[in-house]
């Protein structure tokens, strides 16, 4: 099958509402959003605390989170597999080869992204915002909300990047979910499978769906970054 025929078949699968294809979309969205929603509150809170309220092990936690950004998701999936395997310490949960295990994988993968970028965004906020809020009698929660509001573009970028990493994740989903058809097979694992066995049309269809998620995310990130600043030469 040529590239043009495969592309036409891909659009045909998408437009005709192929049940198997859209089930992959559902599994990917459900596990990605669930893991992201579970990771966001503690990651944002810890990132805020690490930026404005130094505590013991702060640098170690920040270093670990930033190091996790470079760790392959396949390795993360393997470590979680050892925990969730029947002989592992969390084997009684029976999350392996099930959606809860995939959600846990998304949680572990996205938490460092959310924490590291929130930490950087809050550190970039002028300390006067927190000091002014405290001077006006604001509670700790009110001060935190005020600071996070000032850092909202960086925090939103962190959430979008976390979702982008989750929706395209393959390694952890493959190891923890088992790529079971009709159950735990996601967009990423299905794309790898279809490409491996030569079904180019199905693989392209899956790639188009992933692009449909990725392109809007990059557009939102570009909007959050704002227009580029032009440096003007100062008069002599």
């Amino acid at each position: 099958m040529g590239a043009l025929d495969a592309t036409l078949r891909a659009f045909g699968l998408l437009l005709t509402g192929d049940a198997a294809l859209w089930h992959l979309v559902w599994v990917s969205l459900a596990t990605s959003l669930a893991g992201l929603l579970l990771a966001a509150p503690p990651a944002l809170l810890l990132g805020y605390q690490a930026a404005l309220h130094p505590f013991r092990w702060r640098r170690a936690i920040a270093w670990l989170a930033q190091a996790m950004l470079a760790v392959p998701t396949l390795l993360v999936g393997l470590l979680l597999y050892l925990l969730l395997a029947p002989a592992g310490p969390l084997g009684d949960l029976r999350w392996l080869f099930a959606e809860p295990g995939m959600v846990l994988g998304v949680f572990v993968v996205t938490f460092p992204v959310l924490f590291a970028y929130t930490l950087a965004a809050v550190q970039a906020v002028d300390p006067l915002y927190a000091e002014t809020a405290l001077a006006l009698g604001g509670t700790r929660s009110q001060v935190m909300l005020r600071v996070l509001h000032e850092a909202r573009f960086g925090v939103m970028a962190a959430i979008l990047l976390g979702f982008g990493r989750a929706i395209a994740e393959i390694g952890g989903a493959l190891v923890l979910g088992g790529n079971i058809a009709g159950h735990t097979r996601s967009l990423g694992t299905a794309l790898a499978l279809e490409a491996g066995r030569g079904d180019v049309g199905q693989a392209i269809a899956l790639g188009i769906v992933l692009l449909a998620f990725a392109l809007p995310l990059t557009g939102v990130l570009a909007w959050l970054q704002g227009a580029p600043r032009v440096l003007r030469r100062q008069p002599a």
Side-chain angles (χ1 to χ4, degrees):
M1 180 183 293
L4 179 59
D5 292 336
T7 303
L8 292 176
R9 183 191 171 200
F11 279 105
L13 291 171
L14 291 171
L15 296 176
T16 56
D18 182 72
L21 176 60
W22 289 107
H23 182 268
L24 300 177
V25 175
W26 164 250
V27 171
S28 297
L29 280 177
T31 55
S32 298
L33 290 175
L36 186 65
L37 290 175
L38 289 173
L44 297 183
L45 179 60
L46 186 60
Y48 168 82
Q49 293 290 340
L52 295 186
H53 304 285
F55 53 88
R56 192 178 183 183
W57 307 112
R58 170 185 177 276
R59 290 189 177 182
I61 293 175
W63 170 82
L64 180 62
Q66 291 167 353
M68 283 291 293
L69 296 176
V71 174
T73 57
L74 187 60
L75 178 58
V76 174
L78 177 60
L79 296 176
L80 292 177
Y81 176 90
L82 296 177
L83 292 176
L84 298 176
L90 301 180
D92 292 340
L93 295 176
R94 297 185 179 182
W95 284 3
L96 190 62
F97 303 147
E99 288 189 10
M102 298 172 67
V103 171
L104 179 61
V106 171
F107 178 93
V108 175
V109 166
T110 57
F111 188 95
V113 177
L114 297 171
F115 169 76
Y117 282 89
T118 300
L119 174 62
V122 174
Q123 284 180 328
V125 174
D126 192 333
L128 287 176
Y129 285 105
E131 296 172 4
T132 302
L134 284 172
L136 294 175
T139 63
R140 296 189 64 178
S141 298
Q142 291 173 332
V143 174
M144 182 181 70
L145 291 176
R146 176 60 179 170
V147 173
L148 288 178
H149 179 266
E150 293 301 322
R152 61 189 180 279
F153 294 125
V155 173
M156 290 171 62
I159 294 174
L160 291 174
L161 287 171
F163 177 74
R165 191 177 190 192
I167 197 70
E169 203 275 323
I170 296 178
L174 183 62
V175 175
L176 298 172
N179 199 23
I180 302 173
H183 184 47
T184 60
R185 183 168 294 172
S186 65
L187 285 170
T189 58
L191 193 154
L193 175 66
E194 299 298 342
R197 65 186 186 185
D199 193 344
V200 182
Q202 186 78 358
I204 292 177
L206 297 171
I208 292 172
V209 175
L210 285 174
L211 280 177
F213 289 114
L215 293 180
L217 286 178
T218 56
V220 173
L221 282 175
W223 175 76
L224 291 176
Q225 291 171 351
R229 296 180 180 179
V230 180
L231 295 178
R232 297 181 180 179
R233 181 176 299 177
Q234 296 296 328

